[in-house]
Amino acid sequence: MRHSMAELQSKGTPGAGPALPLGRVLIVDDHSLFSQGLAGLLQQAGLADSVALARSVDEAAGVLCSDAIDLVLLDVSLNGETGLMLLPRVLARELPVPVVVISSSEDETTVRAARAAGARGFLPKSAGRTALIAMCRSISQGADYFPGQGRPNDQIQGLTPRQTQVLFLLAQGFPNKRICQSLNLTEHTVKTHLKAIFTHMGVHNRTECVTQARQMGWL
């Protein structure tokens, strides 16, 4: 595993924040070595009382229905599906659980896609123990955790906030169905947003849209 788990376990733990530890954390990741290592670290560092593991969106949804979960750590890329499809299910709950996306992709577009789908934070898999503790502390205190990123309500000039979210997910290669699932929108609404984005940018298809958005520094 190329992640810095060995480095994480060798460092000392900073002083505990007032809202730690979390009760029960759910890790959604289809790589057992990583999820088991992260689960052990969360408990060794006193960040969580207990940890549950899931390998798919459906399995995670089942855990959320049966367990009291305080934080979900969600891999954005699961086997055959995107982890972001779990977010509409979480956000639809009467008391939504904070979700932090964990990913080996650290580019800004991935971070923006996670935020657009409703994630409360982002943690790269290469992060160290200090970042993990800072994230858990922020979430446990009701704050978001997007270190080094722009404001959560940033949007592209000329686009509505929802159109901006659609664009970020489009740049991740999401087909319309997955954009619908991630943002809890109908397919008709997504198509309407895409048409408005294409018109605004003067492009004719998805490839031109993403290429031009990158050239303009939007992604």
Side-chain angles (χ1 to χ4, degrees):
M1 181 170 55
R2 71 176 182 84
H3 313 309
S4 53
M5 198 62 69
E7 174 204 8
L8 302 185
Q9 293 172 340
S10 68
K11 292 185 179 180
T13 304
L20 291 175
L22 296 159
R24 188 162 174 79
V25 174
L26 170 62
I27 300 173
V28 188
D29 195 298
D30 58 355
H31 294 90
S32 297
L33 273 177
F34 177 78
S35 58
Q36 291 171 8
L38 180 56
L41 179 57
L42 285 166
Q43 292 180 279
Q44 291 167 17
L47 300 175
D49 292 332
S50 62
V51 179
L53 304 178
R55 296 175 57 87
S56 68
V57 168
D58 284 342
E59 188 177 345
V63 174
L64 286 166
C65 288
S66 60
D67 289 3
I69 300 296
D70 297 302
L71 170 65
V72 176
L73 298 178
L74 175 66
D75 192 353
V76 74
S77 180
L78 300 173
N79 186 23
E81 62 183 350
T82 171
L84 297 183
M85 290 192 294
L86 179 64
L87 278 155
R89 302 196 194 185
V90 174
L91 296 173
R93 293 163 58 94
E94 184 177 353
L95 295 173
V97 178
V99 177
V100 172
V101 166
I102 53 175
S103 177
S104 55
S105 298
E106 303 180 28
D107 59 282
E108 189 171 351
T109 302
T110 301
V111 179
R112 288 182 172 183
R115 175 178 277 158
R120 292 279 305 279
F122 182 90
L123 187 72
K125 287 189 174 182
S126 60
R129 183 187 186 112
T130 300
L132 178 66
I133 293 171
M135 179 275 293
C136 287
R137 180 173 296 139
S138 293
I139 296 298
S140 70
Q141 295 173 345
D144 293 347
Y145 186 82
F146 291 96
Q149 301 298 323
R151 299 299 305 164
N153 60 353
D154 278 352
Q155 68 183 78
I156 296 168
Q157 185 174 5
L159 298 182
T160 67
R162 185 63 90 185
Q163 289 166 359
T164 300
Q165 291 174 329
V166 170
L167 176 60
F168 290 153
L169 295 178
L170 183 68
Q172 286 291 102
F174 282 27
N176 286 5
K177 183 177 180 180
R178 286 191 172 179
I179 295 176
C180 293
Q181 293 168 330
S182 297
L183 298 179
N184 199 25
L185 299 174
T186 66
E187 187 169 359
H188 174 74
T189 300
V190 169
K191 287 181 177 179
T192 299
H193 286 317
L194 287 173
K195 182 178 180 181
I197 293 168
F198 291 175
T199 300
H200 177 72
M201 297 179 65
V203 298
H204 300 91
N205 56 54
R206 304 163 79 93
T207 301
E208 288 182 10
C209 178
V210 173
T211 299
Q212 183 163 311
R214 288 192 172 124
Q215 290 174 346
M216 299 174 71
W218 291 358
L219 300 172

